[in-house]
Amino acid sequence: MSLQNQIQPELLLLTFADGIAVVPPGACFSRRLFVQVLLHFRYAAEAEEFTKYSFKKTVVLHSEELHPKEELPDGENLNKWQQSVIRRIGSVPGICPFKIELPVGTPPSLQVQQANGVQGEPCGLTYELLSYLGTDASVEPEARSSVRMSFRVLQAPPPSPTAVLKGLWADEEMPVGPPATCVSRQFLLTPGRVQIEMNLDKPALRSGERLIMSVAISNTTNKTVKKIKCKLLQCSEMSFASGKRRVPIATLTTQEGCPILPGSSLQR
């Protein structure tokens, strides 16, 4: 079984997936071939599970019978990827191309960063494509008669102003400017304050992109700032068992530009 994800840019969400399943000759007998899209929601790590109880739920988003079918899909309804695969394995009998449409509002894949020392499957949302032989779609599939494949549902980040001009995003839904924040702290029995202002270059990042921050520190106390430490935290609230989590994903400690003497400032 093979699968290809298709993304429609105007919808900003993966809405359908094209694939091909191959049924070996004589494997069906009185059974039928089904394909399902499963959504697994784990809301507590495996290490937090109690005896005989699992903090994982599975939802069937889509179920379809592939074989036997009265009519096979026409070549016009197949995309170029499916047509290319069928041409390569055209001599193999039992080819069943399919197209799965995900329900509207399907959430994107998500993985929650685990705390240090926690092992096992992490919390989050995962997707799985299940193809199996059975007499009925409601019957639990056997492991020897099924094939499973994991895939991810991707959601595009907020668009650029160019996308708004093309009509792909409503003006009122256009996100605001880059995130920025400012905090001011006063030390005990020390006059003055330390003010830290930070902003990012953009509100959303793709996987693999660098996170660029602009930091301005103003020190009006009689203390000396010796180093700067930055942390990137993933914040989540999964369930009653986990509660609110703040797990560090990356840290950075630097002394460049330090020390920041009393009455001085730093921008970088």
Side-chain angles (χ1 to χ4, degrees), residues 252-267:
L252 172 65
T253 303
T254 178
Q255 293 182 340
E256 185 178 348
C258 295
I260 305 177
L261 301 176
S264 60
S265 59
L266 171 69
Q267 292 186 358

Side-chain angles (χ1 to χ4, degrees), residues 144-155:
R144 60 181 181 179
S145 301
S146 61
V147 178
R148 297 176 181 267
M149 178 184 297
S150 300
F151 67 96
R152 292 193 304 162
V153 175
L154 304 179
Q155 185 174 9

Side-chain angles (χ1 to χ4, degrees), residues 17 24 40 83 95 119 152 166 170 185-186 202 204 214 222:
H40 303 292
Q83 295 176 2
I95 300 176
Q119 300 180 353
R152 292 193 304 162
K166 293 182 179 180
R185 293 291 184 267
Q186 184 177 12
K202 50 186 175 180
S214 298
N222 56 8

Side-chain angles (χ1 to χ4, degrees), residues 235-266:
C235 305
S236 61
E237 186 175 359
M238 299 297 295
S239 70
F240 67 92
S242 303
K244 294 183 179 179
R245 294 184 176 184
R246 294 167 59 90
V247 181
I249 298 179
T251 58
L252 172 65
T253 303
T254 178
Q255 293 182 340
E256 185 178 348
C258 295
I260 305 177
L261 301 176
S264 60
S265 59
L266 171 69

Side-chain angles (χ1 to χ4, degrees), residues 37-85:
V37 176
L38 306 179
L39 169 60
H40 303 292
F41 172 40
R42 173 169 287 280
Y43 49 94
E46 287 183 331
E48 300 176 357
E49 291 184 351
F50 300 104
T51 306
K52 297 182 180 180
Y53 188 82
S54 175
F55 289 104
K56 183 177 181 179
K57 302 297 182 182
T58 300
V59 180
V60 180
L61 295 181
H62 179 85
S63 182
E64 180 181 346
E65 182 179 347
L66 294 183
H67 183 80
K69 274 190 175 182
E70 296 181 359
E71 297 182 0
L72 295 177
D74 298 332
E76 300 179 354
N77 297 330
L78 304 179
N79 60 22
K80 295 182 179 179
W81 174 82
Q82 288 176 313
Q83 295 176 2
S84 176
V85 174

Side-chain angles (χ1 to χ4, degrees), residues 76-243:
E76 300 179 354
N77 297 330
L78 304 179
N79 60 22
K80 295 182 179 179
W81 174 82
Q82 288 176 313
Q83 295 176 2
S84 176
V85 174
I86 292 177
R87 281 196 298 267
R88 294 185 180 183
I89 61 173
S91 58
V92 179
I95 300 176
C96 301
F98 61 88
K99 178 178 180 179
I100 296 176
E101 294 187 5
L102 300 180
V104 178
T106 300
S109 300
L110 172 66
Q111 179 175 327
V112 178
Q113 188 79 8
Q114 298 191 111
N116 294 332
V118 178
Q119 300 180 353
E121 184 180 355
C123 300
L125 301 175
T126 57
Y127 287 86
E128 189 176 41
L129 184 69
L130 171 63
S131 178
Y132 66 96
L133 294 172
T135 56
D136 190 84
S138 59
V139 179
E140 186 71 18
E142 299 179 358
R144 60 181 181 179
S145 301
S146 61
V147 178
R148 297 176 181 267
M149 178 184 297
S150 300
F151 67 96
R152 292 193 304 162
V153 175
L154 304 179
Q155 185 174 9
S160 61
T162 306
V164 178
L165 297 177
K166 293 182 179 180
L168 302 182
W169 198 275
D171 293 339
E172 61 273 9
E173 296 178 352
M174 184 65 186
V176 295
T181 185
C182 181
V183 295
S184 180
R185 293 291 184 267
Q186 184 177 12
F187 297 101
L188 183 63
L189 303 177
T190 301
R193 289 176 174 270
V194 173
Q195 180 173 299
I196 304 176
E197 182 179 354
M198 182 184 68
N199 57 75
L200 306 180
D201 59 335
K202 50 186 175 180
L205 287 88
R206 297 178 181 271
S207 178
E209 290 185 341
R210 297 183 62 187
L211 179 64
I212 302 177
M213 301 176 294
S214 298
V215 180
I217 302 176
S218 176
N219 183 16
T220 60
T221 68
N222 56 8
K223 300 285 187 179
T224 300
V225 179
K226 298 181 180 180
K227 61 181 179 180
I228 303 173
K229 186 174 183 180
C230 301
K231 284 185 179 182
L232 178 63
L233 304 177
Q234 183 186 58
C235 305
S236 61
E237 186 175 359
M238 299 297 295
S239 70
F240 67 92
S242 303

